Amino acid sequence: MAASFLFNPTTFLPSSSSLTSHKHTFKGTSVCKCKCKCKGKPVCSLPNYPPHISKRSLSINLTSLFLLSLTGNANAAILEADDDLELLEKVKQDRKKRIEKQTVLNSANKDKEYLQDVIYTLSKVGQAIENNDLPSASSILGQTADADWLKKANAALSQLSSSPEEKAEVDTFNSSLTSLYSSVTKNDIEGSKSAFVDSANAFEKWTTLTGLTGQLKGL
């Protein structure tokens, strides 16, 4: 008996006529076709009720959203206030540095005299180079980079340079002057012109950075 159940699985399956008679359609309103007590009466699908939301829960949700918006605005206001304070502090520090710088410049009369000599010396050297008169340029510059006017100039440049940008221009100025001395000594007219332009540009940029442009003549 057990063997016949195992090898004949259709024993447990209902007949096809039985399956056909119990087919239903549940979409919307339909008529039952089965042979049961409903006798073909319409079968209605269950209504779809919206989720129940009470006035109290809706009020709580709206209140929560309002409080969250207030919190967000408060946090934004705090961050904005912090940014304003940081910006104000930076402005104060910059103003303080400018005042200190101007005080130093106003009292650096001797240093400004040395720097004025630099302008006069470079002007004469430039005229000599323009006329291709390198011997005269060499005489004005001095035989070496240890000339007295240049020593005094470097002392003033070092004293009045405070920012990294100003110090960088001083280094460029000295490097260009070294090239200028070398080119003049070698009687290299093109090299002398190029080195002179580099030196003059570096010195002019330095005076602009330090605020001395209006206090020195010939720029």
Side-chain angles (χ1 to χ4, degrees):
M1 181 67 69
S4 64
F5 287 148
L6 290 174
F7 291 102
N8 189 14
T10 57
T11 304
F12 297 100
L13 297 175
S15 64
S16 59
S17 60
S18 176
L19 288 173
T20 303
S21 63
H22 286 80
K23 289 181 178 178
H24 294 73
T25 302
F26 293 98
K27 295 181 180 179
T29 302
S30 61
V31 177
C32 180
K33 297 181 180 180
C34 63
K35 296 178 181 179
C36 56
K37 294 181 179 181
C38 62
K39 297 181 180 180
K41 293 180 180 179
V43 179
C44 297
S45 60
L46 294 175
N48 295 323
Y49 292 104
H52 181 69
I53 301 176
S54 66
K55 292 182 178 180
R56 182 174 180 274
S57 62
L58 180 61
S59 176
I60 291 174
N61 289 335
L62 291 176
T63 302
S64 299
L65 290 174
F66 178 69
L67 291 176
L68 285 174
S69 66
L70 288 180
T71 303
N73 291 334
N75 290 335
I78 292 173
L79 291 175
E80 186 176 353
D82 290 341
D83 292 340
D84 290 342
L85 289 175
E86 184 178 351
L87 180 61
L88 181 60
E89 185 63 25
K90 186 177 183 302
V91 171
K92 288 181 178 179
Q93 291 297 328
D94 291 343
R95 183 172 181 274
K96 181 180 179 181
K97 289 180 181 179
R98 288 197 301 269
I99 293 175
E100 292 175 350
K101 183 77 171 181
Q102 194 60 45
T103 301
V104 172
L105 294 178
N106 291 338
S107 60
N109 294 324
K110 200 65 178 178
D111 290 327
K112 285 187 283 188
E113 289 180 9
Y114 296 152
L115 296 175
Q116 192 65 65
D117 287 341
V118 171
I119 296 174
Y120 291 149
T121 301
L122 289 180
S123 178
K124 293 178 181 179
V125 170
Q127 290 176 2
I129 293 175
E130 186 177 1
N131 295 327
N132 296 330
D133 188 1
L134 295 186
S136 295
S138 177
S139 176
I140 297 168
L141 286 172
Q143 295 299 318
T144 65
D146 292 332
D148 185 60
W149 72 272
L150 191 52
K151 285 183 178 181
K152 293 178 179 179
N154 274 308
L157 291 170
S158 178
Q159 178 68 24
L160 300 179
S161 297
S162 56
S163 69
E165 294 80 9
E166 293 167 1
K167 294 177 182 179
E169 292 302 332
V170 171
D171 291 339
T172 302
F173 173 73
N174 285 319
S175 176
S176 300
L177 273 181
T178 300
S179 297
L180 179 59
Y181 272 95
S182 177
S183 297
V184 169
T185 301
K186 294 177 182 178
N187 203 32
D188 179 3
I189 187 65
E190 293 302 324
S192 298
K193 289 180 179 180
S194 177
F196 171 80
V197 170
D198 291 341
S199 301
N201 285 338
F203 185 81
E204 186 174 1
K205 288 180 180 178
W206 179 86
T207 56
T208 300
L209 290 171
T210 54
L212 279 169
T213 303
Q215 301 185 39
L216 298 174
K217 299 177 181 179
L219 291 176

